[in-house]
Amino acid sequence: MRPVLPGDVAAAGCALLALPAGKRPGAMLEMLHRAEAADRYRLVIGRAHPTWGNGSLGSVALCLPRAAEPFLNDPDYVDCMLTVFAALKARNDRRAAASQRRS
């Protein structure tokens, strides 16, 4: 997956906001899997994935239904953003642990 930028986080948060609260964690994991797959596709084929884009989290989120971005003090949006950041942190922690095991 490509490096995550603030716009990627906002797009993912808005995609999650369009879903019921109970479906958000699974949807976030699916967005990460799709971004990783799209990035692998981009590296092998040399162009963006036809559905999931260029391998960024934002490109995946932008192909999904999204709610309009609310203000950052919207409690439901805050929950969505926390879901995004928790998934990114868990992904980074897994990658760091795997890297340590290899060394």
Side-chain angles (χ1 to χ4, degrees):
M1 185 171 78
R2 298 177 73 116
V4 179
L5 301 171
D8 298 318
V9 174
C14 290
L16 294 179
L17 191 58
L19 298 172
K23 294 189 180 246
R24 292 172 182 166
M28 183 62 219
L29 293 177
E30 185 62 29
M31 280 192 274
L32 289 175
H33 293 305
R34 289 177 179 181
E36 290 167 355
D39 195 37
R40 286 192 303 274
Y41 180 96
R42 179 187 63 85
L43 292 170
V44 171
I45 304 296
R47 62 180 176 270
H49 186 279
T51 305
W52 301 329
N54 65 6
S56 68
L57 179 58
S59 68
V60 170
L62 292 175
C63 75
L64 298 170
R66 292 174 320 284
E69 187 173 4
F71 292 109
L72 287 173
N73 61 343
D74 179 289
D76 208 22
Y77 187 51
V78 170
D79 286 341
C80 292
M81 298 300 272
L82 289 171
T83 300
V84 173
F85 285 120
L88 290 171
K89 177 154 182 7
R91 178 181 179 270
N92 290 343
D93 290 348
R94 281 191 306 275
R95 292 170 55 101
S99 177
Q100 280 187 339
R101 283 192 301 270
R102 284 191 293 252
S103 36

